[in-house]
Amino acid sequence: MKRGQSQIIIGGVVLGAIILAGLLSLIWTPADPLAMAINQRMQMPSAGAWLGTDHFGRDILARLMAATPLTLSVAFIGVSIGFIGGVPLGLTAALTPRPLIGQILMRGGDVFFAFPILIMAMLITAGFGGGAWVAILAIGFFNIPVFLRVTRAGALGQSHCTYIQSARLAGKSTARIAIEHIFPNIAPLLILQASIQFSLGVLAEAGLSYLGLGASPTTPSWGRMLADSQTLMGLAPHLAIAPGVVIVVTVLAINLIAEGLRQRLDPRQQNLLGRGQAWR
């Protein structure tokens, strides 16, 4: 088995199962995730409710399934915004013939990077109100400088290669060189960074929902479920264990995929591996 393939397979199977459960929740759940049954509140896991019920008698498994599309889509869209906004800016900062423009872009990215996701979400909520889109914008704005820096570093490393010099001598414009030559060569680096940011985005969405800055209280969310269970840990620990385990397993699966991609896509890692085997 090729290096990194096992991590990708294990992480992909686990993440695929979680995504499948989220897609299934769009058409079916074992119970209505919003239906309250006070007479069945805080029941332990049983045949009727596999993961038990919460303090309002709602089925925990159904709520976890219903919350999956929200958490994953918020993280994915947020990272996509950072990717779409940061990559062109990074290419421009690295390849522009005017150093001042590159400096302005980098310093602007530093300004965005100085605001943590939590502060950014609080500012957006204060100005425009709450909702899941607040978490999307906060995650997206936070990721723009991340991809800007990674793209600029990768593009600078490629800009001095012989094939880039040949493309310039052939009369190709800077924009064409960036699109046709540099971007395809740094794409593995960007894919790896995107997978890492996706796992962080899942944690960010859960954290913002936990603090009340993400999904509305009536919308099932992993972070909101943790927040609702914190005062009932002594009476019904399963209320916190179920969403906590789901968050940990999801992030772990994404990180396994990212680690497998790093081992497969990073040629320096492969060179180091070859050198290490040569000493054995």
Side-chain angles (χ1 to χ4, degrees):
M1 185 173 292
K2 294 182 179 180
R3 181 172 173 81
Q5 188 173 350
S6 60
Q7 289 94 327
I8 295 176
I9 292 176
I10 295 173
V13 169
V14 175
L15 183 61
I18 294 172
I19 294 175
L20 182 62
L23 293 176
L24 180 62
S25 71
L26 299 177
I27 57 175
W28 176 85
T29 53
D32 186 347
L34 301 179
M36 300 183 185
I38 302 301
N39 60 331
Q40 299 178 3
R41 60 194 300 265
M42 292 192 295
Q43 289 188 350
M44 297 298 292
S46 62
W50 290 359
L51 296 180
T53 60
D54 65 5
H55 56 300
F56 287 124
R58 298 172 296 191
D59 188 275
I60 293 178
L61 176 59
R63 290 182 62 79
L64 286 174
M65 292 176 61
T68 300
L70 173 69
T71 299
L72 296 183
S73 61
V74 166
F76 180 79
I77 296 173
V79 173
S80 298
I81 291 174
F83 186 94
I84 295 172
V87 171
L89 293 177
L91 290 172
T92 302
L95 302 177
T96 179
R98 300 178 181 179
L100 180 60
I101 295 178
Q103 290 297 322
I104 291 175
L105 291 175
M106 293 304 297
R107 299 295 77 78
D110 291 341
V111 171
F112 271 95
F113 204 67
F115 288 90
I117 290 181
L118 176 59
I119 301 300
M120 206 170 291
M122 292 175 64
L123 292 175
I124 296 174
T125 303
F128 304 100
W133 64 274
V134 172
I136 292 175
L137 292 179
I139 295 171
F141 289 154
F142 179 82
N143 278 285
I144 287 177
V146 173
F147 283 102
L148 189 157
R149 291 183 176 188
V150 172
T151 304
R152 179 178 179 271
L156 286 176
Q158 294 289 324
S159 62
H160 301 292
C161 294
T162 304
Y163 75 97
I164 298 297
Q165 304 300 329
S166 300
R168 287 173 177 164
L169 291 174
K172 291 187 177 181
S173 64
T174 302
R176 188 175 175 184
I177 291 174
I179 296 173
E180 294 183 359
H181 298 287
I182 293 183
F183 178 75
N185 280 281
I186 65 173
L189 175 66
L190 297 176
I191 293 173
L192 173 58
Q193 188 64 43
S195 61
I196 295 173
Q197 297 305 121
F198 182 48
S199 68
L200 296 177
V202 171
L203 285 176
E205 192 283 329
L208 292 174
S209 296
Y210 178 87
L211 296 173
L213 298 173
S216 63
T218 57
T219 303
S221 171
W222 296 345
R224 175 69 63 177
M225 294 175 69
L226 281 176
D228 293 341
S229 66
Q230 64 180 350
T231 59
L232 302 170
M233 284 289 293
L235 297 175
H238 66 282
L239 299 184
I241 292 174
V245 168
V246 171
I247 294 173
V248 170
V249 170
T250 303
V251 173
L252 179 61
I254 299 173
N255 285 337
L256 280 175
I257 296 174
E259 175 63 18
L261 289 174
R262 184 186 67 81
Q263 295 181 12
R264 292 291 301 275
L265 299 177
D266 189 354
R268 293 174 299 177
Q269 188 71 20
Q270 295 176 2
N271 292 336
L272 290 175
L273 176 63
R275 294 176 185 176
Q277 292 176 342
W279 282 96
R280 294 180 182 178

